[in-house]
Amino acid sequence: ELQAAARWKRGDKLRLAGMLERPAQATNFGGFDYRRYLYGQRIHWLLKADGAEAVAITGRERLSAAALLRPFDAVRDRLGAGMEVLFPEEQSGYMKGLVLGIRADLDPELFRQFSQLGLTHILAISGLHVAVFLFGLGGLLRLMRLSREAVLEFLCFAVPLYVLLSGASPSVVRAGVMAVLGLLMARFNRLKDGLHVLCAAALLMLIWNPYYLSDISFQLSFAVTAGLIVGVPPVRRMLPRPKRVGALLDLVTVSAVAQAVSFPLSIYYFNQFHLLSLPANIILVPFISFIVMPIGAAALFVSYAWLPAGQLLAIGADAANAATFTLTDWLSRAEPMRTIWPSPPLWWQTAWYGMLGILLRLPRGMQRYPDNPPHPQPLGPNVPPYEAIAPNPGPGWRSYLKPILAAAAIVGLLVYAYTPDRFDRTGKVQFLDVGQGDAIRIRTPGGQQLLIDGGGMIDFRKPDETWRERRDPFEVGRKTVVPLLLKRGVHAIDLLVVTHLDADHIGGLKEVLRSIPVKSILWNGTLKPDAAAQNLLREAARRNIPVVAADSGLPVYRPDGETAVRILWPKPTVSVPTATLPVVKKQNDQSVTLQLSIYGRTFVLAGDMGSETEQEVLERLPVTAPADVLKLSHHGSKNSSSAEWLAYWRPLEAAISVGRINFYGHPHPDTLKRAAAVGAAVRRTDEDGEIQYGVGRGYLRVRTKNHETIKEETLY
């Protein structure tokens, strides 16, 4: 199958049989919407075929975009192979992304560090790369003594080839279209306004492909370019123009304006902003763009003429890359400088750009005069030298009022965007849809954040199927749990509860520890001979996070005045040295079970314990205590949530975290019947998507995200 798939090329016509279905929608509020993503790629349906043998190549397209790009794919593959010859494995993927726009082999950890520091634009072929390309090629043409007109005409033909060779992503298409328009206008001496060129490029791209409008790189590329054209000149006029550091001030101005313009889009899509992003861009962007990238490109092309010369150049790029990786690793480790922002609403983004526009329209009196005014010169033998013209006193204080108010409004917008729920006193219990696993996010009325488990996937892959492993495989913590927590503005987790150490409960927690500050961990006090469990505990130890063993004898935990958390299980144990922690392979009956109370409403949250353990818990509890919401244990397993357990709690709601496709038959029909027998309304993540409960004084509300619609109702 791998060999057959390797022969498929862009532009091939094929015949296949399969099952037609619509792509899945988001099942978590604010989660990744696969259908919407594919819609932006002009894909509206999925056709699932049974293996490569169901595909038959019948021919090739001749006149289409795919047919045009096919030969360039072959050239890119060959150039990428050349990079692998010149650079070691840990650098070849980076250089292919930097020079050729091939990001498939980029190290995921390196991309993560670049992303945290706001440096991923370096790896996306865009205006900076096109500018360096034009500068280098234009310099070579001028050395050949070509006329200005001939150079401009040659570059007009060269830019489209570079765009196609680099993969034709929206950012490089935008830069290429702008470059060609600008070169043509310069050729005919009509180049006046870059903003008009930008608008023309946007119009041409949207006529060609209207779907570009929803593309993140398209939005960022045009927003930042427009911001630089409009914003850099007035800001630069505010600053002095000393000869020695003038270029540095230019670089700082460009970087600061670019970050101010891209900030709303960055926090909306990525929910993070690193306070060291500006110095990282100031240091690394010119270093990578004007040193590493040209040397790497030169090494690649020289190697085809004489390999030793290319390898010699690659040594210099290798050393520069090592310095880059060291610096990015050091900067990304400054975790207190990484801030988390919930996705702001549209009105907030509109207000930000409006206030930024007002701030950039500075009154002329605030703009500096030249630092070196001309010296007075004599006008004649009997005429004294004229005096330097006195600076205009500028506008009065009223002209300063508008930018001052705009700056104050921007500060207010930042405060609001960082904690939009500052005054929200609603308690929230959210059962995230993580497939066959558990992950529950709790926000108390006082703003404390709790997370119970983090989902995970059980790997059934056989030893001889390692070829199926992707370079950047799906991981539920990185792809689902962490993005949802960031989007909801979880700046820190006050308490992380690890009910037990099975993979479907802890698989995503290592990424949580790496991405969000965790203040303390509560776990079941056991060890498990499993790599994922050991790695999680090691990561917690490495970060010096206090880890406490759960014990039903511990006092009630009160995050705020309206919330209480009581541990129902495990039972109290005799204190033992850390070195003698019990090793438990089967963890289900050691699951931490909590009784959560918010505004007097009760949630009982058990992990995967079975009916025998439930009975033991009941024997330790007082008289019957009804619960508003009961999480059914072990994903609705037949051997959990016994009739006695359900009769004791008499829940109004029964919530089940379960995967849509699982091999265990969860939830079991007998369990569902037992829940219905006590009058509980059953909600399950495989059918309802994420289940959210909102608790206030005198009310309990539930909201579900079930594929097509959002359901919300007030229970009482």
Side-chain angles (χ1 to χ4, degrees):
E1 287 189 334
L2 286 175
Q3 293 174 353
R7 292 192 293 269
W8 302 342
K9 303 297 182 183
R10 196 198 312 244
D12 281 343
K13 293 182 178 181
L14 54 87
R15 183 181 65 249
L16 71 161
M19 182 68 69
L20 190 68
E21 63 181 40
R22 299 188 71 187
Q25 287 186 292
T27 58
N28 290 289
F29 292 96
F32 175 68
D33 194 319
Y34 189 46
R35 182 181 299 178
R36 183 177 179 181
Y37 166 76
L38 291 181
Y39 183 83
Q41 312 299 317
R42 295 191 176 197
I43 299 171
H44 299 259
W45 294 90
L46 297 178
L47 185 66
K48 293 191 175 181
D50 187 16
E53 64 274 7
V55 180
I57 303 299
T58 60
R60 183 190 302 179
E61 287 187 316
R62 298 299 178 185
L63 297 175
S64 68
L68 177 65
L69 289 170
R70 180 185 181 112
F72 288 95
D73 289 343
V75 175
R76 295 180 79 209
D77 290 342
R78 183 177 178 184
L79 294 176
M83 285 292 190
E84 293 176 357
V85 172
L86 292 174
F87 294 94
E89 182 179 358
E90 63 273 11
Q91 291 194 18
S92 61
Y94 168 72
M95 292 304 296
K96 284 193 283 187
L98 184 64
V99 178
L100 303 172
I102 303 174
R103 294 169 59 171
D105 296 328
L106 185 63
D107 179 25
E109 181 59 29
L110 180 64
F111 182 81
R112 169 195 172 96
Q113 293 174 353
F114 271 65
S115 178
Q116 285 184 350
L117 294 169
L119 294 170
T120 52
H121 61 92
I122 298 176
L123 301 173
I125 305 295
S126 60
L128 188 60
H129 297 73
V130 173
V132 173
F133 169 76
L134 291 175
F135 179 79
L137 183 57
L140 290 175
L141 294 174
R142 284 189 291 271
L143 288 176
M144 297 169 61
R145 303 295 181 93
L146 294 180
S147 66
R148 172 182 177 274
E149 291 74 13
V151 169
L152 293 174
E153 292 169 359
F154 189 92
L155 293 178
C156 282
F157 288 100
V159 168
L161 294 177
Y162 178 77
V163 170
L164 293 172
L165 190 60
S166 60
S169 66
S171 59
V172 72
V173 171
R174 187 270 310 161
V177 172
M178 285 191 67
V180 171
L181 291 176
L183 290 167
L184 288 174
M185 295 173 70
R187 170 62 179 83
F188 297 104
N189 297 313
R190 295 185 178 275
L191 182 59
K192 296 181 179 180
D193 188 353
L195 199 58
H196 284 82
V197 176
L198 179 68
C199 293
L203 183 61
L204 291 173
M205 289 181 66
L206 292 176
I207 291 174
W208 171 259
N209 183 2
Y211 289 76
Y212 275 146
L213 193 59
S214 62
D215 188 274
I216 300 173
S217 63
F218 178 90
Q219 296 173 13
L220 280 170
S221 180
F222 276 91
V224 171
T225 306
L228 294 176
I229 293 172
V230 174
V232 169
V235 173
R236 191 63 187 92
R237 285 194 294 267
M238 284 277 297
L239 302 174
R241 293 185 175 275
K243 294 181 179 179
R244 294 183 178 180
V245 293
L248 177 61
L249 288 178
D250 290 338
L251 178 61
V252 171
T253 301
V254 169
S255 299
V257 171
Q259 293 217 334
V261 173
S262 63
F263 178 74
L265 292 173
S266 297
I267 64 173
Y268 179 82
Y269 287 114
F270 308 114
N271 304 108
Q272 299 182 70
F273 181 76
H274 206 290
L275 299 180
L276 295 179
S277 178
L278 182 60
N281 274 272
I282 292 173
I283 296 171
L284 290 175
V285 168
F287 178 71
I288 295 174
S289 301
F290 300 112
I291 297 178
V292 179
M293 187 169 65
I295 294 177
L300 177 62
F301 291 106
V302 168
S303 67
Y304 287 102
W306 188 29
L307 182 59
Q311 291 174 331
L312 185 62
L313 286 172
I315 292 174
D318 191 322
N321 288 337
T324 299
F325 299 162
T326 300
L327 181 59
T328 53
D329 180 64
W330 181 74
L331 292 174
S332 64
R333 290 180 184 275
E335 295 186 0
M337 306 298 287
R338 186 171 59 87
T339 59
I340 296 171
W341 301 74
S343 295
L346 180 60
W347 70 262
W348 185 94
Q349 299 180 62
T350 303
W352 174 274
Y353 286 118
M355 295 302 103
L356 194 63
I358 293 174
L359 196 61
L360 291 176
R361 292 180 61 86
L362 302 172
R364 292 188 178 276
M366 297 179 67
Q367 299 173 7
R368 294 175 59 94
Y369 284 88
D371 294 281
N372 301 310
H375 294 288
Q377 298 293 330
L379 300 180
N382 299 319
V383 182
Y386 70 84
E387 298 295 332
I389 301 175
N392 190 322
W397 64 271
R398 296 180 187 277
S399 299
Y400 292 86
L401 185 60
K402 188 180 291 186
I404 290 174
L405 292 177
I410 286 177
V411 173
L413 289 171
L414 288 172
V415 173
Y416 172 82
Y418 190 68
T419 53
D421 57 354
R422 180 187 302 269
F423 302 108
D424 184 4
R425 293 296 177 261
T426 303
K428 299 176 182 178
V429 180
Q430 301 168 346
F431 294 83
L432 307 181
D433 181 12
V434 291
Q436 185 68 13
D438 278 14
I440 306 170
R441 178 240 175 172
I442 300 168
R443 181 191 180 275
T444 72
Q448 297 290 297
Q449 301 283 352
L450 286 73
L451 178 66
I452 301 176
D453 293 336
M457 298 179 67
I458 299 175
D459 189 4
F460 296 101
R461 189 167 297 155
K462 299 176 182 178
D464 60 346
E465 293 183 328
T466 55
W467 62 271
R468 293 180 178 269
E469 187 70 25
R470 297 183 179 183
R471 183 179 182 88
D472 187 16
F474 175 84
E475 198 279 300
V476 70
R478 181 163 54 90
K479 297 293 187 178
T480 302
V481 178
V482 168
L484 288 173
L485 296 178
L486 295 179
K487 191 169 285 291
R488 297 172 192 188
V490 178
H491 303 120
I493 297 173
D494 297 280
L495 178 65
L496 172 61
V497 179
V498 182
T499 60
H500 60 297
L501 298 175
D502 283 353
D504 57 333
H505 290 251
I506 67 166
L509 290 181
K510 185 176 179 180
E511 186 65 27
V512 170
L513 296 185
R514 298 178 66 190
S515 303
I516 302 174
V518 175
K519 297 181 180 179
S520 59
I521 296 177
L522 181 73
W523 110 111
N524 66 0
T526 70
L527 300 176
K528 183 180 180 180
D530 177 81
Q534 294 170 12
N535 290 337
L536 175 65
L537 295 175
R538 286 195 187 99
E539 185 70 17
R542 188 179 74 81
R543 295 177 178 275
N544 296 317
I545 301 173
V547 181
V548 179
D551 188 325
S552 58
L554 292 174
V556 174
Y557 170 57
R558 300 185 182 277
D560 56 43
E562 306 296 342
T563 308
V565 181
R566 179 186 175 193
I567 301 174
L568 302 181
W569 190 261
K571 60 185 177 182
T573 57
V574 179
S575 223
V576 295
T578 304
T580 59
L581 285 173
V583 176
V584 180
K585 187 174 182 180
K586 295 184 178 180
Q587 290 264 320
N588 287 348
D589 287 326
Q590 297 295 321
S591 297
V592 177
T593 302
L594 304 176
Q595 182 177 352
L596 169 70
S597 175
I598 302 177
Y599 287 124
R601 307 296 184 189
T602 302
F603 296 77
V604 178
L605 307 171
D608 281 357
M609 66 181 182
S611 55
E612 293 183 4
T613 307
E614 290 173 351
Q615 186 61 40
E616 193 170 349
V617 174
L618 292 178
E619 293 172 358
R620 306 175 55 82
L621 295 177
V623 295
T624 304
D628 295 277
V629 179
L630 174 68
K631 175 195 167 295
L632 298 191
S633 302
H634 202 189
H635 322 290
S637 165
K638 179 182 180 179
N639 300 319
S640 298
S641 304
S642 64
E644 294 80 7
W645 180 258
L646 290 165
Y648 179 88
W649 295 111
R650 300 198 313 273
L652 176 69
E653 295 267 311
I656 308 176
S657 290
V658 61
R660 284 165 190 77
I661 301 175
N662 65 82
F663 303 102
Y664 313 102
H666 295 160
H668 197 277
D670 292 349
T671 305
L672 297 177
K673 291 178 182 177
R674 292 196 294 267
V678 297
V682 176
R683 304 185 193 273
R684 37 196 283 192
T685 57
D686 62 333
E687 294 183 351
D688 299 311
E690 180 183 356
I691 308 166
Q692 292 188 347
Y693 292 96
V695 187
R697 295 186 184 278
Y699 68 85
L700 173 64
R701 297 194 181 106
V702 63
R703 187 170 71 142
T704 59
K705 181 84 164 63
N706 67 336
H707 313 291
E708 302 290 343
T709 60
I710 296 173
K711 295 182 179 179
E712 183 172 359
E713 58 184 289
T714 301
L715 300 176
Y716 59 83

